[in-house]
Amino acid sequence: MTLPLDGIRILEVDNWGFSPSAGAVLGDWGADVVKVEPPGRGDPLRALFGSLNFGEGALVNCMHEQWNRNKRSLALDLASTEGRGVLDELIARSDVFLTNALPSVRESLHIHAEAVRAVKPDIVYALATGQGSQGPDAARPSYDYVSAWARAGVGERLTPEGMPFLGQRAGIVDTSAGNFLAGAIAAALLKRERTGTPVDVEVSLLAAGGWIIGPDIAFALNNGFEMPPSRPDGRGAGPLMTWYECADGKRIVFAMMQPERYWPEVVRVLELGELLTDERFDTPAKRAAETDALVAALTARIASRPRDEWEARMRASEMVWGPVQSPTEFAADVQVEANGYIADATRADGATLRVMASPAQFDGAPIAARRAAPDLGEHTDHVLTELGWSPERIAAARAAGTIG
């Protein structure tokens, strides 16, 4: 199957998670993504596990593998005259220039939009930022933990009332924002194809975080007060819109946003027919007024059996529910396996790594990881050979430190 971006060339000059995750999605969609990295050290994400005291090389660097599969790595010194010449050759052959470099770096390396378009006038210039490219904090460095989780309020909205501020999982908004940026790049490519007009694309972590909790923000702006945070016990949205713990400690989530429609079915599946005639719960108004008591009744019942027994009954019902799963359980989920949501990525040494595929599928085919995340400079010789370099020229540039 030909993927939608087959034949599109992406030149990626970036690091860490947000922008590279966009490149990974574009690679999943068929684009040829060349990632330019500094010789000798590469993207600092490569060394992250060492800095977090896991012991560099002791574990698979999951973030590097997740966000850099389906790419080729070119180790190139952009500060050198020859290195800059190579970059210009690559720009001239590319459809998209993707970067998260701060304004000062874009200026010093001459990779701002004007400099890039001086080489390729119709290129799509895609920029990943922390707080946007305007305003007093435009030049400040950031990560999703700062710009999205904290500043945009994602973490505040997810922290139960009265509880310590909730910590963020690795790259949770980087990944979402990267998908937003990849979609924007695809839209820009479509406009360029239709009109011939180059497009500047920008997505910031601050905007992405705001979009993720958009309903909370819109509620506050238009109602004059904020939606209350979750209760510490996770309850509060009604007995059919919360979670329950089973006898084996595993959990189930209910998400029935039309509770009266599903109430008889819930009672049947849980074998709680007596609740239909219980005077505390025999009308919608009473059920709403006695939410805590009703939750207590359902909690006690669901805690009487292990989750697999409840799952068997719920799968045969019309209830809207789901198991609360760990990453390992997700990977083994029957729907994940059936739809190919986990991709096998093969390294140059033949080893196979498993990574999460990006969400979109085309013509019903699972996303494939055509290659695992590359070693630093793994494709330097190959990329330069495509530009017409001889082995002798490559060797001389490597000896001079221009390439790695």
Side-chain angles (χ1 to χ4, degrees), residues 34 45 49 62 120 124 136 153 160 165 204 213 221 227 286 290 302 352 361 367:
V34 174
L45 187 69
F49 272 28
C62 57
K120 181 72 179 296
V124 170
F165 183 58
S204 76
I213 59 164
L221 290 175
M227 277 196 282
K286 289 181 180 179
E290 296 292 338
I302 292 171
T352 299
Q361 294 187 350
I367 288 295

Side-chain angles (χ1 to χ4, degrees), residues 223-298:
N223 291 298
F225 65 99
E226 296 178 351
M227 277 196 282
S230 300
R231 287 174 23 173
D233 60 2
R235 315 297 186 186
L240 303 192
M241 196 69 185
T242 189
W243 61 269
Y244 295 93
E245 188 168 304
C246 304
D248 53 4
K250 296 182 178 181
R251 297 181 177 93
I252 288 174
V253 158
F254 287 172
M256 287 163 272
M257 300 181 72
Q258 299 170 288
E260 291 309 314
R261 171 185 173 185
Y262 291 101
W263 176 240
E265 181 77 344
V266 171
V267 168
R268 181 188 68 80
V269 170
L270 298 182
E271 299 174 334
L272 286 172
E274 66 274 13
L275 294 184
L276 292 176
T277 56
D278 189 315
E279 291 185 356
R280 296 174 298 167
F281 314 125
D282 59 3
T283 69
K286 289 181 180 179
R287 287 193 285 275
E290 296 292 338
T291 288
D292 287 348
L294 197 53
V295 166
L298 270 59

Side-chain angles (χ1 to χ4, degrees), residues 100-106 129-142:
N100 67 342
L102 292 170
S104 60
V105 177
R106 298 200 301 272
T129 66
Q131 292 81 221
S133 59
Q134 305 298 320
D137 292 337
R140 294 187 64 84
S142 190

Side-chain angles (χ1 to χ4, degrees), residues 294-307:
L294 197 53
V295 166
L298 270 59
T299 296
R301 180 58 175 162
I302 292 171
S304 69
R305 295 182 183 180
R307 189 172 71 186

Side-chain angles (χ1 to χ4, degrees), residues 14-24 45 67 71 98-100 127-130 143-144 171 173-182 202-206 208:
D14 58 12
N15 49 33
W16 296 110
F18 170 20
S19 180
S21 73
L45 187 69
W67 295 327
K71 298 179 186 178
L98 171 61
T99 187
N100 67 342
L127 184 60
T129 66
Y143 297 98
D144 61 342
V173 183
D174 279 340
T175 302
S176 302
N179 223 80
F180 301 159
L181 182 54
E202 181 183 345
V203 173
S204 76
L205 290 167
L206 184 63

